[in-house]
Amino acid sequence: MIWGLALAVFAVITAGAYLATSRDLLRCLIGLTLLGNGINLLLFGSGRLQSGQPPIIDRLATELVGAANPLPQALTLTAIVISFALLCFSLALGIRLLAEVRGSDLQRLRAAEPPASDPLKPPLEEAP
């Protein structure tokens, strides 16, 4: 079971990284979504995949043994919400970009940036 999950996480993160480096805007957005889903799978897999008892401690017990850890599940739920919000923001930004530039080629978008000598563009600060 764990090897299947590890292979799935590897495949999803690899596909997401490949698509995120694409020149097409839609592929970049899909790659960003796949990266988020791969990280969610990684967080979910960091907890125990199989558990026989719920995380409830008896009155007389002093420690929890053999129960599920609820923290990775809570982190995964939070990460799902955050990645969905990031996807919605990215889609809204992409739609606005397509309306302004009328193209989805990222090389054209980079070429449309103002030159470095433009007085309205803030200068790039170099590291000391």
Side-chain angles (χ1 to χ4, degrees):
M1 179 74 178
I2 191 69
W3 288 105
L5 182 68
L7 186 64
V9 167
F10 174 74
V12 169
I13 289 179
T14 303
Y18 175 74
L19 288 174
T21 58
S22 177
R23 285 180 53 175
D24 188 39
L25 182 64
L26 182 62
R27 286 183 182 173
C28 286
L29 294 178
I30 291 172
L32 185 67
T33 304
L34 281 177
L35 278 173
N37 289 335
I39 297 301
N40 290 342
L41 279 173
L42 186 67
L43 280 175
F44 186 71
S46 68
R48 185 182 297 178
L49 293 179
Q50 299 170 348
S51 177
Q53 61 188 140
I56 299 172
I57 301 177
D58 293 331
R59 286 186 197 186
L60 301 176
T62 57
E63 67 181 50
L64 185 62
V65 178
N69 186 4
L71 185 62
Q73 295 172 4
L75 287 175
T76 303
L77 286 174
T78 306
I80 287 170
V81 171
I82 291 171
S83 64
F84 182 71
L86 179 66
L87 172 65
C88 291
F89 178 72
S90 300
L91 284 174
L93 190 62
I95 289 170
R96 178 75 178 160
L97 230 136
L98 288 174
E100 289 289 323
V101 179
R102 293 183 180 34
S104 65
D105 188 15
L106 294 181
Q107 294 297 334
R108 270 188 48 208
L109 294 177
R110 287 190 186 104
E113 289 184 6
S117 61
D118 189 11
L120 296 178
K121 183 176 181 179
L124 180 65
E125 296 181 16
E126 296 179 10

